[in-house]
Amino acid sequence: MSAISLVRGGLAAPDLDALHDIAPAVVGTAPFGVIVGVTAAEAGLGLGDGLAGSFAIYSGSAQMTVFALLASGAGPVAILLSVALTSARLMVYSAALAPAFRRQPAWFRWLAPQVIIDQTYAIVMSRDEVVADPRRFRRYWLTAGAALTLGWFGAVGLGVVVGPILPPGSPLEVAMPALFIGLTAPKLRDRRARPGAVVAAAVAAACIGLPRGSGVIVAIIAGGIVAAMLAPSNAPIGGEETA
Amino acid sequence: MNALLLLLAAGVVSWIMRVLFITVVPADRLPARARHILTNATPAVLAALTVMLVIGGLRGAGEARVSHVVALVVAVVVARWKGNVTFVVFAAMAAAVVVQVAVPHL
């Protein structure tokens, strides 16, 4: 019996489906994970802290937010508020995924949402048959989450190890601002997101001299107010705008 | 605050966001206004951080300022052209290398 068939023998159909669906995300996020790891090293974090932070936060953009603000000397309030707002979309995802979690045991409802990110949300929302079956969903979600976590840890760990041996003035110094440009640009394709982002960017530039990263808080609040003012009237979640 | 404690606190914040509508508040019907604000908070935060990083990076770039500027311009162009974040980062770093090699005195 080959190694592949041995592995397959221990895996159920939901596991194979999950591995099939999550594999592109594992491969696609690996370079990003390495960069996150290098940035963690640049922020003065060791391998243990970098991996602990990766598991605790479990979101590349939120991790980069913490590292960027740590490196800039921002205070805890600015950092935690920025993380909260950077991760705000996770509440949208959790609200959309709530029906799939409703028929699960308590341990699963408390712990399994930790691996809700853009990729896991996207793959599971495209599989109605998995969401409809509680046991199948549980196994699918755990397998996909485990595979993604292993891949992400490996990539971040590699970045944390490699980061300190890179020479000063290396091109990696442009990695973090370039990364944020890359994270921000696709979100601005939605014209509804632009006013808040533009106001936040302008206020951030004007307030960059404020102490301990407080300029970022002012900018985020200003952008959030603009976003709230332009919000539409009430409608239930789960419609065509959910993603 | 210790960096690890801060990371763990940030983890608690993001975990609360993940479990809030699944375990804590079974919100089947989130108003569109709330959804809009939640969705559009992320671009506002990212835009503010991007500006802070770009300006801060340019101030600290010293002799590498020209390659830094070129790299960020490349990042913007590639980000508009391709949505892939990794591609954007590697294109920006490649641009910085090219400028540093081609015009070493800048």
Side-chain angles (χ1 to χ4, degrees):
Chain A
M1 186 182 281
S2 71
I4 291 175
S5 55
L6 269 174
V7 169
R8 286 194 169 203
L11 296 175
D15 300 321
L16 295 174
D17 288 343
L19 292 174
H20 174 269
D21 293 349
I22 203 68
V26 173
V27 174
T29 55
F32 183 25
V34 173
I35 292 164
V36 169
V38 170
T39 312
E42 287 177 351
L45 299 175
L47 183 61
D49 289 357
L51 292 182
S54 288
F55 185 73
I57 300 174
Y58 211 85
S59 162
S61 55
Q63 280 174 255
M64 293 298 281
T65 299
V66 174
F67 299 150
L69 290 173
L70 268 177
S72 73
V77 174
I79 292 174
L80 294 179
L81 179 64
S82 298
V83 168
L85 290 167
T86 306
S87 306
R89 72 190 187 287
L90 298 177
M91 288 200 284
V92 179
Y93 296 167
S94 75
L97 288 168
F101 279 86
R102 191 178 299 126
R103 291 171 290 164
Q104 299 295 338
W107 67 267
F108 189 85
R109 280 186 280 118
W110 282 104
L111 299 178
Q114 177 67 7
V115 294
I116 293 176
I117 57 170
D118 306 77
Q119 287 83 359
T120 49
Y121 166 79
I123 64 164
V124 82
M125 291 303 279
S126 65
R127 279 200 177 262
D128 293 339
E129 78 282 8
V130 169
V131 173
D133 181 343
R135 287 191 65 178
R136 190 173 178 183
F137 170 74
R138 189 159 64 245
R139 186 136 187 178
Y140 178 95
W141 186 262
L142 290 174
T143 302
L148 192 63
T149 302
L150 285 175
W152 184 249
F153 268 35
V156 173
L158 178 65
V160 174
V161 171
V162 168
I165 59 177
L166 293 170
S170 80
L172 275 169
E173 288 184 358
V174 300
M176 191 146 63
L179 179 68
F180 272 85
I181 289 170
L183 289 169
T184 308
K187 301 198 181 303
L188 299 182
R189 291 194 180 127
D190 181 353
R191 59 181 175 79
R192 294 168 299 181
R194 288 179 202 156
V198 169
V199 169
V203 175
C207 298
I208 198 160
L210 294 181
R212 295 181 67 75
S214 52
V216 172
I217 294 181
V218 175
I220 290 168
I221 291 172
I225 289 171
V226 171
M229 287 169 60
L230 298 175
S233 57
N234 283 359
I237 194 167
E240 69 282 358
E241 292 180 26
T242 306
Chain B
M1 187 186 277
N2 176 288
L4 180 58
L5 283 178
L6 197 51
L7 285 167
L8 295 178
V12 170
V13 169
S14 61
W15 175 72
I16 288 170
M17 304 220 154
R18 288 177 165 108
V19 299
L20 185 65
F21 290 122
I22 288 175
T23 307
V24 184
V25 182
D28 288 341
R29 297 176 72 82
L30 189 64
R33 177 175 285 273
R35 180 165 31 120
H36 180 92
I37 293 169
L38 291 175
T39 304
N40 292 310
T42 301
V45 175
L46 291 176
L49 289 169
T50 301
V51 167
M52 188 195 78
L53 285 168
V54 167
I55 295 176
L58 290 175
R59 283 179 176 172
E63 294 179 357
R65 183 169 291 179
V66 173
S67 65
H68 206 98
V69 169
V70 172
L72 295 182
V73 170
V74 168
V76 170
V77 171
V78 175
R80 285 182 61 87
W81 172 47
K82 289 258 185 190
N84 187 310
V85 174
T86 305
F87 195 69
V88 172
V89 173
F90 281 109
M93 290 194 298
V97 170
V98 168
V99 173
Q100 286 174 7
V101 169
V103 200
H105 62 278
L106 285 178

